[in-house]
Amino acid sequence: MTTYLICLAPILAYILLLRLFDSFRLIRWGVLSASILSGVAACAAAVAAGYAIFHISPDATESPWLFPLVEEILKMVAPLILIRRRKIVFFVEAMVYGAAAGGGFALAENIIYVVSNPGMMLGTALFRGFSTAMLHIGCTALAASVMLIYKNMYHGGRRPEPRRHLVCCVAAALVVAIHIVFNLHLLPSLLQLVVTVLLFLCLFVALGTYNERCIGRWLDHSITFDVQLLAAIRQGRLAETNTGEYLIGVRSQFEAEVFFDIICFMQVYLELIISGKSRMMLKQAGLDTPLTVEERQRHADMVGELCALRGNIGLMGEIVLRPILRMKDEDIRIMGLS
């Protein structure tokens, strides 16, 4: 029993370590749990694929790159889906959810290894468990971070299919290369474990720091504009602003009712985004307080109203508003629309 509990140690330790980077409290435990389960499922799929490959072509199993390629591709599926569905928006989410997927894979793999070797010593189980867990956790988190960086670079425009596929191939090639080098055991086992841990630790400390700076700049640069624009709408001074002049210029393209809904959409959107950003800043400062039942209901009503207005203004309305509201994935996330 102790040996099986040891299999959990590296996964819990690493995920808790990455959780410390989340000073804005963006991580959702439901998505984290689903990511871990996806890693377990990926391990089961990898084992099934291994058996199939062995029966089809036994010689293929001797290839040093085949199983690392299969394993890394299977582990990347869940983070890629989360990114495409905008469940992963910030770098800390990519690191933690990617690490969770890799951790679930390592957990299942370690349990299979322990079951296959019932006489294994506790020290061997702990050492091997940490070594392989660091590899799987680090590689999947790194792949998720690379894919998110690419997505943010091309945010707001249409991305050609070849480029989207290319970045997935680059991320896969990077982590597969690391996986292959790890499997070659070019260094003594203990030294290889230390190098692996230090490599990924330094990488994720750097990415975590970058993530904090990006969020800070996003909050600082956008909340002032949002507050000023909302005040202009409430005070009836929108026409006096550059935004108002821009909207007046396109007003003739819409019916009066639709144009009114566009202004209402702006107001509700800004109210939600300012509230969300303010709560993020309070969370980072440790001053956050739970929402009351009335506040939660009001927020839910506003989100429902925004969704209804979004349907009323249509795609053309969103296109017109995009230069004003930016409508970044980060904004949508903190409003609770994702």
Side-chain angles (χ1 to χ4, degrees), residues 187-265:
L187 299 173
S189 299
L190 180 59
L191 180 58
Q192 179 165 285
L193 173 60
V194 172
V195 170
T196 302
V197 171
L198 290 179
L199 172 64
F200 286 122
L201 184 61
C202 293
L203 176 64
F204 295 135
V205 166
L207 284 175
T209 302
Y210 177 66
N211 168 74
E212 296 290 312
R213 291 178 179 175
C214 286
I215 294 178
R217 287 197 298 267
W218 166 63
L219 287 172
D220 292 340
H221 292 173
S222 59
I223 195 168
T224 301
F225 172 81
D226 294 335
V227 170
Q228 292 175 347
L229 183 56
L230 179 60
I233 294 174
R234 287 177 171 175
Q235 297 168 10
R237 297 185 294 102
L238 182 60
E240 302 173 9
T241 65
N242 292 333
T243 300
E245 293 179 4
Y246 165 74
L247 290 174
I248 290 173
V250 300
R251 182 171 56 184
S252 60
Q253 300 179 24
F254 300 92
E255 296 179 2
E257 295 81 1
V258 176
F259 187 77
F260 178 76
D261 285 339
I262 288 176
I263 303 301
C264 292
F265 180 91

Side-chain angles (χ1 to χ4, degrees), residues 6-17 36 99-100 102-108 110 129-130 133-134 137:
I6 286 176
C7 295
L8 290 170
I11 291 89
L12 294 177
Y14 200 73
I15 291 176
L16 289 174
L17 176 64
I36 294 174
F105 189 101
L107 172 62
N110 287 341
F130 263 100
M134 291 302 102
I137 287 171

Side-chain angles (χ1 to χ4, degrees), residues 243-305:
T243 300
E245 293 179 4
Y246 165 74
L247 290 174
I248 290 173
V250 300
R251 182 171 56 184
S252 60
Q253 300 179 24
F254 300 92
E255 296 179 2
E257 295 81 1
V258 176
F259 187 77
F260 178 76
D261 285 339
I262 288 176
I263 303 301
C264 292
F265 180 91
M266 286 178 55
Q267 180 170 347
V268 177
Y269 185 101
L270 291 169
E271 289 177 358
L272 283 169
I273 200 63
I274 292 170
S275 175
K277 290 177 181 178
S278 299
R279 290 192 63 81
M280 282 188 66
M281 297 171 73
L282 288 173
K283 285 179 181 179
Q284 187 189 31
L287 302 174
D288 183 45
T289 55
L291 292 174
T292 64
V293 176
E294 293 77 10
E295 289 173 332
R296 289 184 180 276
Q297 184 58 48
R298 181 175 181 274
H299 181 270
D301 292 341
M302 292 179 68
V303 170
E305 182 183 359

